[in-house]
Amino acid sequence: MDQATFEPGSTLDGFIIEEAIHRGGMATLFKVRRDDDPMPMVMKTPRIGEGEDPAAIVSFEMEQMLMPRLSGPHVPKFIGMQDFASHPYIVMERIAGEPLLARLPELPLPYDEAVAIAAKIAGAIADLHRQHVIHHDIKPSNIMFRPTGEAVLLDMGLACSDQLPDLMQEEFRLPFGTAPYMAPERLLGVRDEPRSDLFALGVLLYFFTTGVRPFGETETMYGMRRRLWRDPHPPRKLRPDYPPWLQEIVLRCLEIEPAWRYPTAAQLVFDLTHPAEVKLTTRSEKLKHDPLRTVLRRRFNKELTRPRAVESMAAHLASAPIVAIAIDVAEGSPALNDALRVTASRILATLPSARLACLNVLKLGRMTIDRTLDEHGHNKHVDRLVQLRHWAEPLKLEDDRLTVHVLEAVDPASAILEFAQAGRVDHILIGARRSSVLRSLLGSVSAKVASEAGCTVTIVREAQPAPPRSAPRPAVQEG
Amino acid sequence: MLLGLFADIHANRPAFTACLADARQRGIERVVLLGDYVGYGADPDWSVDTVRALVADGAVAVLGNHDAAIGQTRVQMNAEAEAAIEWTRGQLDSAQRKFLAELPMRHEEHSLLFVHSEATRPDAWIYVTDTAVASRSMQTVSAHVTFCGHVHKPALYSLSVTGKMTTFVPTPDIPVHLLPGRQWHAVLGSVGQPRDGNPAAAYALYDTVKHELTYCRVAYDAADAAERIRANGLPPWLADRLLVGR
């Protein structure tokens, strides 16, 4: 085997090595380029010399398995690789700028800025989970941002996929990762829980809004295991002006039991981008951490900390969709609105983790100046919200499964499509108006939504009277 | 080169026909047969003839324990398997028996090892059902990938340079890159009698250039195969289990 030198100026398989930009415990990163290829690139090589950590090899192998399968704006684009048969490396797109780690001296950040950052990261996590991959090392040094704003998740060395062998699972008896960000279940050896990434993001958001790490920086096994029973100080104890809705989100991410966290990263994005819709529970009011009695119960009741079997990632994501339903409370027919409610209840009955976002579009005139108040002096926006809640009431949904939104827009279809895209909606339910003069003049909202949405769309119609039969229907079974 | 790998056909004509058609449509260039062409199923005669024709055409075929049992007087199997072997003997002519008797225990080429069961002692017919057996099997061979059948449940094991094992239940149709830095042991699902709870016939594809292994499942007319088993008076459980994949 030739020993690659990785000297600046040397060439390896067509890649011209420029300079080392990072030397870590597991790998070294070089800036590289290729003739006639304008893309900025980075070459990652594992540290495999004598006395190096064998984890470096295994985590590099894991990246070799995962990187070629990942796509989209939230991961660096994969370009090429070479395995251990010669000089092992992976070449990928180099993301410009600094990782989020560079912001640490500025902490705590203003709430709205930290929330916007967390929402972008949660969006990236949702996209990674959709591709069947759990990152397992969400932390500021592994996060960058594209000029277009998307968060990019770096370093798949600790990641795993339910569609591939997990090379790390049996390699190490102790959990491997970054101590302050590690979810409690990781300390019990669980690696197939996607919500471990939401816990890490909760740690990051806590840290970025308070300047304090919720579980400190301890790296001892005991210090790390404490998080299995000891909850962190509520952020409001550290910053009295901490918004209750934000504390609700942060503490929900930091729940010890994964099932009590957000079911999916997409649902977390939804709350981070709709603060007014966050359902406040006792979490939002907490001023101190749990009493000793609760902590002792957690510590000595092994049942609470026992690892549980996890369903497949695809099944998990599919069980917790965000369903958006467009209701025309102003001009829609009551029969159609009833039909929409029936359809929604069928979907929600089978999926206890699904959440429903009820939308109404308050149409703005293209030319006229709209007034907020109607002719009776009522606030139109508030009025619509009340009507949406009234529509949803018979569904009897728990508060954390229902949100209502009035979108003010000139074009209703575009408003619904934009909402669905930004809110990572999985399924849109929309009613089809009966043919009318209005529809033939304006075009059908439901048709535009159905043809342009990136997710599943169900068109709901009100029940029609049965057409008169010209001949008796044949018997179902003959002979 | 794209290999199509088939294990534990067990005289199931509809299942093997469906798998071969699926694999050919996906562009296989070479056929590898991992043993147990007969036993349990109702079409041993067709099965052996088909395997013989494939071998004449360049396919690799190794011996399975059911194939070996045809020529042996003392067989250690459960009652149903033994009844099926007894019945199968009467279905095969001497040329077909001779073909089975002369099959090799193992075949190795380009760092790929094909064998019916655990590789250290292939004639002991040891099941590769856990990391301990898989690890022993890999440590005694130099092959990068060992392919076997016999278990009827798909699994994929690997041995790292640090001596650690991984175990994995494959996801159908998702290619897995068998990294050259470790050794791999691929246990194929069964074409003719799947036992992992999924009644669909199982086979695999291996791309020798990209080192990618893909486990495939093919729906086939299991009711037809079951009916042929019943019609020939074979033990009814051998028919019933095809419908549930157990």
Side-chain angles (χ1 to χ4, degrees):
Chain A
M1 177 162 86
D2 295 337
Q3 197 60 48
T5 58
F6 297 104
E7 286 296 323
S10 63
T11 303
L12 189 57
D13 300 337
F15 296 104
I16 302 154
I17 295 165
E18 297 191 314
E19 63 188 290
I21 50 176
H22 176 77
R23 289 181 195 275
M26 308 267 269
T28 307
L29 298 179
F30 296 92
K31 205 187 259 191
V32 297
R33 64 181 168 83
R34 211 161 36 176
D35 285 337
D36 310 320
D37 192 343
M39 181 181 283
M41 290 182 261
V42 63
M43 179 181 276
K44 184 171 186 175
T45 65
R47 301 185 58 146
I48 50 170
E50 195 73 34
E52 299 287 1
D53 191 343
I57 299 174
V58 181
S59 84
F60 187 77
E61 286 186 304
M62 205 62 224
E63 280 205 278
Q64 285 191 310
M65 288 191 111
L66 289 170
M67 286 296 292
R69 294 165 44 90
L70 294 173
S71 60
H74 302 295
V75 288
K77 185 176 155 55
F78 169 80
I79 293 162
M81 67 181 183
Q82 185 57 255
D83 57 56
F84 286 90
S86 52
H87 349 271
Y89 65 76
I90 299 174
V91 176
M92 63 192 108
E93 169 192 14
R94 178 158 50 88
I95 310 294
E98 292 282 320
L100 191 53
L101 188 69
R103 303 292 305 271
L104 257 48
E106 301 167 52
L107 303 189
L109 296 184
Y111 296 125
D112 54 352
E113 190 181 356
V115 167
I117 289 171
K120 286 178 182 176
I121 301 168
I125 294 172
D127 193 50
L128 200 65
H129 289 182
R130 185 186 56 74
Q131 299 183 63
H132 289 264
V133 173
I134 307 171
H135 190 278
H136 281 318
D137 205 13
I138 297 291
K139 59 176 178 180
S141 58
N142 282 341
I143 296 160
M144 296 185 81
F145 295 92
R146 291 188 186 276
T148 40
E150 295 96 341
V152 183
L153 305 176
L154 309 177
D155 197 344
M156 300 295 154
L158 299 183
C160 67
S161 164
D162 64 347
Q163 296 185 328
L164 292 174
D166 183 7
L167 307 181
M168 301 297 273
Q169 178 78 59
E170 277 146 84
E171 195 73 25
F172 308 104
R173 296 187 46 208
L174 297 175
F176 211 83
T178 308
Y181 295 89
M182 202 182 294
E185 63 274 13
R186 294 281 314 282
L187 300 164
L188 304 171
V190 174
R191 277 182 53 83
D192 54 1
E193 173 54 81
R195 288 168 286 196
S196 299
D197 284 344
L198 302 189
F199 184 93
L201 180 53
V203 172
L204 190 149
L205 184 53
Y206 186 112
F207 184 30
F208 272 55
T209 46
T210 62
V212 178
R213 291 181 180 86
F215 304 99
E217 289 184 79
T218 178
E219 299 220 349
T220 65
M221 200 57 199
Y222 175 80
M224 279 159 56
R225 283 183 70 88
R226 256 176 74 87
R227 72 193 63 176
L228 280 162
W229 54 83
R230 177 35 95 192
D231 57 321
H233 293 290
R236 289 181 71 185
K237 185 182 174 189
L238 307 175
R239 291 186 70 180
D241 69 338
Y242 208 85
W245 64 267
L246 185 51
Q247 172 156 313
E248 178 73 34
I249 292 176
V250 169
L251 293 186
R252 188 168 175 193
C253 290
L254 294 179
E255 283 286 357
I256 297 168
E257 175 65 52
W260 296 346
R261 297 177 205 148
Y262 283 91
T264 62
Q267 292 208 13
L268 172 57
V269 175
F270 196 93
D271 271 11
L272 286 167
T273 48
H274 300 90
E277 291 292 322
V278 176
K279 291 305 172 304
L280 304 183
T281 70
T282 48
R283 283 188 202 109
S284 67
E285 296 158 10
K286 280 172 82 170
L287 293 173
K288 359 182 229 204
H289 57 192
D290 291 335
L292 192 60
R293 191 181 60 240
T294 311
V295 172
L296 289 176
R297 202 185 310 137
R298 277 193 210 121
R299 182 161 181 194
F300 297 108
N301 182 350
K302 291 284 181 278
E303 195 53 30
L304 289 175
T305 50
R306 190 171 51 85
R308 270 146 242 235
V310 180
E311 61 211 325
S312 86
M313 280 187 73
H316 172 74
L317 295 182
S319 73
I322 299 173
V323 180
I325 184 159
I327 319 285
D328 190 348
V329 283
E331 289 159 20
S333 84
L336 181 56
N337 287 348
D338 286 347
L340 280 161
R341 197 188 301 107
V342 168
T343 308
S345 68
R346 279 185 205 137
I347 291 169
L348 296 166
T350 54
L351 299 168
S353 293
R355 59 192 286 174
L356 186 69
C358 304
L359 316 181
N360 177 256
V361 183
L362 188 56
K363 214 162 168 308
L364 304 180
R366 210 176 283 273
M367 309 295 278
T368 53
I369 295 168
D370 286 282
R371 297 165 55 104
T372 329
L373 305 180
D374 65 16
E375 56 270 34
H376 305 294
H378 293 130
N379 182 314
K380 286 190 256 181
H381 194 107
V382 172
D383 210 39
R384 292 283 178 91
L385 286 174
V386 169
Q387 289 178 53
L388 278 176
R389 287 220 171 266
H390 177 70
W391 174 89
E393 201 280 330
L395 292 170
K396 304 287 181 205
L397 289 178
E398 301 87 356
D399 274 355
D400 61 345
R401 293 181 67 196
L402 176 74
T403 54
V404 291
H405 312 262
V406 172
L407 317 173
E408 299 188 13
V410 174
D411 175 5
S414 301
I416 293 166
L417 288 166
E418 262 169 45
F419 180 92
Q421 200 193 352
R424 293 178 180 267
V425 168
D426 299 287
H427 190 164
I428 301 172
L429 305 183
I430 185 166
R433 271 187 299 220
R434 297 241 204 123
S435 44
S436 67
V437 180
L438 199 63
R439 191 174 72 168
S440 57
L441 282 176
L442 298 177
S444 160
V445 174
S446 58
K448 180 169 177 191
V449 170
S451 65
E452 293 178 24
C455 65
T456 300
V457 178
T458 299
I459 307 281
V460 177
R461 292 201 166 78
E462 60 188 83
Q464 304 277 338
R469 289 194 212 120
S470 53
R473 194 187 290 185
V476 176
Q477 282 188 326
E478 291 173 62
Chain B
M1 180 186 282
L2 190 63
L3 307 180
L5 302 120
F6 307 86
D8 300 284
I9 295 159
H10 285 297
N12 186 335
R13 182 175 182 165
F16 191 34
T17 306
C19 286
L20 271 177
D22 189 73
R24 285 191 173 126
Q25 202 216 327
R26 292 180 189 229
I28 55 162
E29 294 155 285
R30 184 142 201 234
V31 170
V32 177
L33 301 155
L34 295 170
D36 277 5
Y37 313 105
V38 299
Y40 300 136
D43 290 289
D45 173 50
W46 175 86
S47 190
V48 175
D49 283 350
T50 305
V51 169
R52 203 157 46 165
L54 288 166
V55 169
D57 215 24
V60 172
V62 296
L63 185 74
N65 56 315
H66 286 251
D67 312 319
I70 296 298
Q72 292 166 347
T73 44
R74 288 185 56 189
V75 179
Q76 285 189 330
M77 284 182 170
N78 65 49
E80 279 152 341
E82 222 176 297
I85 289 294
E86 189 57 45
W87 176 84
T88 302
R89 283 198 188 107
Q91 304 295 311
L92 300 178
D93 63 28
S94 60
Q96 288 167 323
R97 291 183 200 202
K98 183 164 178 289
F99 170 77
L100 290 181
E102 288 174 355
L103 287 171
M105 292 301 299
R106 45 185 276 164
H107 177 92
E108 190 164 358
E109 62 180 41
H110 309 302
S111 207
L112 304 178
L113 174 63
F114 308 116
V115 60
H116 182 63
S117 57
E118 190 267 346
T120 321
R121 286 176 56 211
D123 56 351
W125 312 116
I126 296 163
Y127 292 95
V128 180
T129 46
D130 57 36
T131 51
V133 181
S135 158
R136 190 178 61 193
S137 183
M138 277 187 272
Q139 282 176 12
T140 53
V141 303
S142 58
H144 172 227
V145 192
T146 304
F147 294 95
C148 78
H150 197 37
V151 182
H152 293 221
K153 292 179 185 173
L156 179 61
Y157 300 93
S158 81
L159 178 65
S160 76
V161 286
T162 55
K164 299 287 171 46
M165 292 288 299
T166 68
T167 168
F168 174 62
V169 178
T171 315
D173 288 330
I174 303 290
V176 179
H177 180 194
L178 303 190
L179 299 161
R182 30 179 84 218
Q183 274 184 287
W184 298 83
H185 205 306
V187 180
L188 268 67
S190 166
V191 171
Q193 196 194 74
R195 293 181 196 160
D196 61 345
N198 177 358
Y203 78 97
L205 299 170
Y206 184 66
D207 185 321
T208 58
V209 177
K210 290 155 112 181
H211 305 299
E212 277 183 356
L213 175 64
T214 310
Y215 285 80
C216 308
R217 294 311 280 257
V218 184
Y220 76 100
D221 193 349
D224 178 32
E227 187 47 45
R228 290 151 92 123
I229 287 172
R230 286 194 204 96
N232 282 286
L234 286 158
W237 167 236
L238 298 180
D240 298 344
R241 67 189 308 173
L242 294 183
L243 306 178
V244 290
R246 289 285 176 202

